[in-house]
Amino acid sequence: MVRTRPDGIPKVTGQLSYLTDRTFPNTLYGKILRSQYPHALIKRISIDKAKALPGVRAVLTHEDVPGINGFGIIVPDQPVFCSDRVLYIGDAIAAVAADTNAIAEEALHFIEVEYEELPVLDTPEKSLTSEAPLLYPDGNVLHKATHQKGDVSAGFSASTCMVKETYDVPRQMHTYMETEGGVIVPETDGGITVYMGTQHGFKDRFQLSRILAIDEEKIHVVSSPMGGSFGGKDELNVQPYAALLALKTACPVKIHQTRKESMISGIKRHPMKIKTRTGADEYGRILAHEVEIIADTGPYSTLGPAILDFAVEHAVGPYRIPHVLVEGKSVFTNNAVSGEFRGFGGNQITFALEGQMDRLAEKLGIEPLELRERNLRKENDLGPLEQRIVPTDGARAVVKAIKHTSEPVINQASRKRMGTGIAVTMHGGGLGYGRLDKSGGRIALTNEGKIAVSFGFEEVGQGIIHVIETIATGAFDCSEEDLLIQIGDTRTTPSTGSTTASRGTSMVWNAINRLKPPFVAALTEQAGKLLQIEADNLHLGPGGIYNRGQKKMDFNELAASFNKETPVQFDTSFDFPTTPDRTDGGHYLYTYAAVFAQVEVDEMTGRIAVRQLKQAISAGPVVNLVGFNGQIEGGGVMALGYTLMEDAKMINGQYITENLDTYLIPSIRDVPPHLEVEPIEELPEEDCFGPRGVGEIGTVAVAPAIAKAIHDATGLWVKKLPVSPETVLKALDQRSERRWKKDVDLLSSLNAQSITRQ
């Protein structure tokens, strides 16, 4: 049954009111002064002139933070306001509340800050030199991660074929449609209500409590709906500033960042440099794989360590390799803060791994897909870190599905070259072993006779409301009208963890299946007493309680029979499934993808158009096909941008691109005309974990598939993203030169032979 997404029509028609659309009486407008320099000492701050500007209600600095002057989802090492030093151009120094946005903007120009510039570390390589200034007392390395298996030297010695390459991947911007913002209202009890989009309402509440030095219970966070996140709103962004200003002025304060402000201060996908060496025998069996990852994490921690761990874990992907050495470093720099982004380090490392597979296949003279099949993991094999994982044959299933993809017939102009490529990946869901990974949910029958299903996470555009509705109506045989879905509000929902890390669908399915038995029993037992029918002969259905297919009682009648002081309510709390082995960060539930890409390369302009993109996805039963396809297709187009156009370039710690006029993302004209998603729903009979989330898997293996298709069309081995038209033209020129030289040499040789015969 195809259901209409509950929030679909209001969103596409523009009728939905987002949190940034809200205003309240006496609302003031906030602006944040950020650093002029990527690395400097602060010698003096003066706010006197700004405070004297008519219409300005408050100007705050580090002296006005009553609690901890720092935030960070794990380590609070990012200052709310810098006091003596700035580490990147997004660092905040002061904030203003004024009667209008224009006055607040003007007031920023009256804040005087005296800096003393320091050397800028704008690459990890610079940060790692012995001469580099220390950004932290313990050095410029945030985190190291290693995975070792077997003897990699022995593996390379036994190899008859080897490929070595360095891959370079860019800083990508989330580019959510709604930039960071909202409004914060001061309450009469000294607390606040926060109306701002976030992926962690409860964690935001905790962090704000530390900054404001007030009890968590006095902070009410309403965090849904929002206009996109993709991981970019995992961290606090403008909440601390609006909260401090609201408490200072006793007025609601609204901050909504412009696109330029968002670009400067928002977190980005980690740029990485990945050195790889891979060896195989003459039969195409991969014997050794060595990887070195250097990640540019910017000046603050956020989830940089976990992202590096994830990249290290996925460095061998879905392949079984006997000898492996993976070493990674996440390095502090004076660039943008890098952090959470859809794929969580998997996209970067998969681009490198699959690039190695294609290069190895060519060198061995083996079809790329055949090489992958020879090394693919089996159903009961251990995971990438040699940890026990939930058995599935997803890797082979997606390869089988992609194997016989037919290419569309395209009217090809003479100057266009066509090429195809494939790539395969596996992707862990949840946060991994050793990380707090709370899940849960709540179900209740309201006094009005609604089945209230509540989760503490947010709708970020991924369609989670649709997922809840589909699973709940299926579990209780009720109608959509019988449900009351509650999310994204710390006052009305339980703390159940976020939907980050592709957790949402799995969490909802498991929570409702845990809650269903006691809830149904409570309702049918009560109905049985009222109807004088055995509870075992009653069941839930659309609108009420049924016996032998006949409705006997409406839900509102049943609700009225319960004591209103003790509502029917059940909660569940559990940890997201994780490996039983003590493997730090190791995952347990994986999804799999195989991608087929066909590109068209214009010889004259170098422009690359992706004509076909097919993704076969193994993630268990599909809850809702429309939402499933939307996630995979949308993820594929986002990854297309990562491959061909998106790069938030920085030089000397300053952005070269500051807005969407120079930072390009795919438009509808860039979407492949042939988009196809093939779900693989089968799981082993003994599997008890149900459907997996697909929020990330559709983004992971697209780049290497497109890169191989470009090579197929032009001969260019892509090792750096994004692939620009200039890079393609240069490669084509080089190939033409070589052909031209060969032609000249051949002609010269023929002429010489002709002269000799004469």
Side-chain angles (χ1 to χ4, degrees):
M1 176 183 176
V2 177
R3 295 175 182 274
T4 301
R5 181 170 161 169
D7 56 340
I9 292 175
K11 282 184 174 175
V12 298
T13 58
Q15 297 174 6
L16 186 71
S17 176
Y18 290 90
L19 298 173
T20 47
D21 293 326
R22 297 196 183 192
T23 55
F24 294 83
N26 303 316
T27 293
L28 303 176
Y29 296 85
K31 281 287 180 184
I32 303 161
L33 179 71
R34 300 193 184 272
S35 175
Q36 280 183 266
Y37 301 100
H39 193 197
L41 296 176
I42 297 175
K43 308 300 289 185
R44 184 179 69 89
I45 302 172
S46 175
I47 59 174
D48 295 341
K49 293 180 182 176
K51 288 172 71 175
L53 192 69
V56 170
R57 301 299 185 91
V59 184
L60 306 181
T61 68
H62 62 94
E63 295 177 347
D64 300 293
V65 180
I68 296 175
N69 184 20
F71 63 92
I73 202 164
I74 303 295
V75 180
D77 61 359
Q78 180 163 359
V80 176
F81 292 116
C82 294
S83 58
D84 57 356
R85 187 175 64 149
V86 292
L87 292 178
Y88 89 117
I89 59 166
D91 265 330
I93 296 168
V96 174
D99 291 343
T100 67
N101 219 31
I103 295 173
E105 178 78 37
E106 185 182 2
L108 297 184
H109 300 290
F110 287 88
I111 298 173
E112 297 173 351
V113 184
E114 186 181 332
Y115 298 95
E116 179 182 321
E117 289 188 70
L118 296 171
V120 177
L121 303 176
D122 62 351
T123 66
E125 290 78 9
K126 283 185 184 177
S127 293
L128 292 173
T129 61
S130 57
E131 300 82 22
L134 294 182
L135 300 183
Y136 291 91
D138 293 335
N140 293 339
V141 176
L142 166 65
H143 182 62
K144 294 180 181 178
T146 302
H147 171 58
Q148 186 167 7
K149 171 188 174 185
D151 182 344
V152 74
S153 297
F156 283 120
S157 297
S159 299
T160 57
C161 179
M162 196 181 304
V163 292
K164 190 176 179 181
E165 188 60 275
T166 299
Y167 299 87
D168 204 336
V169 288
R171 178 180 295 103
Q172 188 183 19
M173 190 165 71
H174 299 79
T175 330
Y176 23 74
M177 292 180 71
E178 180 192 46
T179 55
E180 305 86 350
V183 57
I184 294 184
V185 180
E187 303 293 352
T188 54
D189 65 352
I192 54 172
T193 300
V194 181
Y195 298 96
M196 287 198 177
T198 175
Q199 282 191 244
H200 287 288
F202 284 91
K203 287 188 177 178
D204 284 8
R205 190 178 71 166
F206 168 68
Q207 290 207 69
L208 287 172
S209 168
R210 291 193 303 196
I211 294 166
L212 303 174
I214 61 177
D215 293 338
E216 277 191 71
E217 288 68 28
K218 288 189 173 181
I219 301 173
H220 174 201
V221 178
V222 179
S223 49
S224 190
M226 71 177 98
S229 175
F230 310 115
K233 294 172 184 171
D234 254 16
E235 272 291 1
L236 286 179
N237 42 76
V238 299
Q239 295 94 331
Y241 311 102
L244 288 164
L245 290 167
L247 289 172
K248 180 73 175 181
T249 60
C251 289
V253 173
K254 183 172 187 174
I255 298 179
H256 189 189
Q257 298 216 103
T258 64
R259 183 62 65 181
K260 183 177 178 180
E261 291 167 341
S262 173
M263 187 152 195
I264 289 172
S265 62
I267 61 176
K268 309 290 185 298
R269 188 189 295 283
H270 277 80
M272 291 185 185
K273 189 163 284 185
I274 304 170
K275 296 180 180 177
T276 57
R277 186 165 63 126
T278 311
D281 64 16
E282 64 269 30
Y283 305 107
R285 291 178 298 213
I286 301 174
L287 301 180
H289 188 52
E290 187 176 38
V291 182
E292 180 188 352
I293 305 167
I294 302 293
D296 180 350
T297 204
Y300 302 115
S301 301
T302 184
L303 290 184
I307 290 164
L308 181 67
D309 289 344
F310 195 96
V312 167
E313 175 184 357
H314 291 73
V316 298
Y319 309 112
R320 295 296 294 166
I321 303 174
H323 305 288
V324 177
L325 177 60
V326 187
E327 295 178 308
K329 284 182 187 172
S330 194
V331 183
F332 287 120
T333 67
N334 296 122
N335 288 327
V337 180
S338 298
E340 306 83 295
F341 202 128
R342 196 178 193 181
F344 211 72
N347 308 48
Q348 295 96 318
I349 198 67
T350 301
F351 173 65
L353 172 63
E354 291 297 279
Q356 289 295 95
M357 297 300 288
D358 286 326
R359 286 160 173 79
L360 207 53
E362 181 174 90
K363 207 166 183 179
L364 287 163
I366 300 174
E367 284 294 317
L369 201 57
E370 172 64 24
L371 178 68
R372 287 169 168 85
E373 285 186 297
R374 291 183 189 182
N375 294 280
L376 216 52
R377 71 182 310 276
K378 297 181 177 63
E379 181 174 325
N380 293 300
D381 281 340
L382 294 172
L385 297 177
E386 300 302 300
Q387 82 277 27
R388 281 175 286 175
I389 67 173
V390 175
T392 76
D393 204 18
R396 291 185 180 278
V398 295
V399 167
K400 183 180 178 183
I402 213 78
K403 202 168 188 176
H404 304 294
T405 302
S406 58
E407 301 175 24
V409 177
I410 295 174
N411 292 324
Q412 187 178 341
S414 60
R415 73 183 198 208
K416 303 290 179 63
R417 298 185 181 198
M418 307 299 292
T420 62
I422 55 99
V424 184
T425 193
M426 65 188 290
H427 194 81
L431 304 184
Y433 183 87
R435 280 78 192 262
L436 294 174
D437 204 357
K438 186 178 181 181
S439 297
R442 173 184 297 159
I443 193 162
L445 185 67
T446 70
N447 293 335
E448 294 74 29
K450 294 286 187 182
I451 299 174
V453 188
S454 307
F455 296 94
F457 50 67
E458 291 79 19
E459 160 59 40
V460 300
Q462 78 279 55
I464 196 66
I465 295 175
H466 205 185
V467 168
I468 297 170
E469 181 185 274
T470 304
I471 293 176
T473 53
F476 303 116
D477 294 324
C478 63
S479 69
E480 296 93 327
E481 290 74 24
D482 295 321
L483 294 177
L484 174 64
I485 296 173
Q486 298 174 314
I487 59 170
D489 189 322
T490 57
R491 188 159 290 173
T492 61
T493 65
S495 176
T496 59
S498 75
T499 62
T500 191
S502 300
R503 294 162 21 104
T505 297
S506 177
M507 180 167 38
V508 171
W509 187 86
N510 278 287
I512 289 181
N513 276 285
R514 288 165 183 256
L515 293 167
K516 177 182 173 181
F519 182 71
V520 171
L523 266 56
T524 54
E525 285 172 10
Q526 177 74 358
K529 292 176 186 174
L530 299 172
L531 297 168
Q532 298 296 301
I533 299 175
E534 286 290 330
D536 290 345
N537 293 326
L538 297 173
H539 63 89
L540 275 60
I545 304 296
Y546 286 67
N547 173 240
R548 297 179 181 177
Q550 298 294 316
K551 187 160 75 171
K552 297 295 183 182
M553 178 177 285
D554 291 337
F555 282 130
N556 56 359
E557 294 178 70
L558 183 62
S561 71
F562 285 104
N563 185 340
K564 289 183 171 49
E565 302 303 318
T566 56
V568 182
Q569 177 177 304
F570 296 92
D571 286 62
T572 183
S573 182
F574 53 94
D575 292 328
F576 194 85
T578 188
T579 178
D581 298 323
R582 291 178 174 273
T583 307
D584 189 33
H587 288 78
Y588 194 45
L589 293 177
Y590 288 86
T591 52
Y592 301 83
V595 180
F596 173 90
Q598 183 190 53
V599 302
E600 179 185 82
V601 181
D602 190 318
E603 286 186 354
M604 184 172 291
T605 65
R607 187 176 182 277
I608 302 159
V610 180
R611 306 296 301 177
Q612 183 182 11
L613 195 63
K614 175 181 177 179
Q615 298 210 56
I617 305 293
S618 175
V622 174
V623 172
N624 183 284
L625 188 60
V626 174
F628 185 96
N629 288 343
Q631 283 280 26
I632 303 305
E633 291 177 355
V637 175
M638 177 177 259
L640 184 156
Y642 182 58
T643 311
L644 299 180
M645 55 187 78
E646 295 186 50
D647 185 6
K649 285 185 179 177
M650 301 191 81
I651 296 177
N652 202 28
Q654 301 279 355
Y655 278 105
I656 303 305
T657 54
E658 291 188 334
N659 215 324
L660 295 181
D661 54 353
T662 48
Y663 182 92
L664 301 181
I665 61 173
S667 71
I668 191 64
R669 292 177 62 85
D670 300 300
V671 174
H674 301 274
L675 270 179
E676 186 180 352
V677 179
E678 182 171 342
I680 311 293
E681 301 190 68
E682 292 75 22
L683 292 173
E685 286 187 9
E686 65 275 13
D687 187 278
C688 62
F689 298 99
R692 280 59 155 165
V694 293
E696 297 170 290
I697 187 69
T699 69
V700 180
V702 172
I706 294 175
K708 179 62 180 76
I710 294 169
H711 172 260
D712 193 36
T714 67
L716 167 65
W717 278 119
V718 174
K719 59 182 180 181
K720 183 177 182 180
L721 299 180
V723 189
S724 68
E726 291 79 12
T727 302
V728 172
L729 288 175
K730 186 177 178 182
L732 288 173
D733 286 346
Q734 288 174 344
R735 285 169 59 83
S736 297
E737 281 181 17
R738 285 198 293 273
R739 282 205 297 269
W740 177 75
K741 286 180 179 176
K742 285 181 181 177
D743 293 342
V744 170
D745 291 344
L746 178 62
L747 186 61
S748 300
S749 173
L750 291 172
N751 286 339
Q753 290 175 21
S754 174
I755 292 169
T756 303
R757 284 176 190 149
Q758 289 176 354

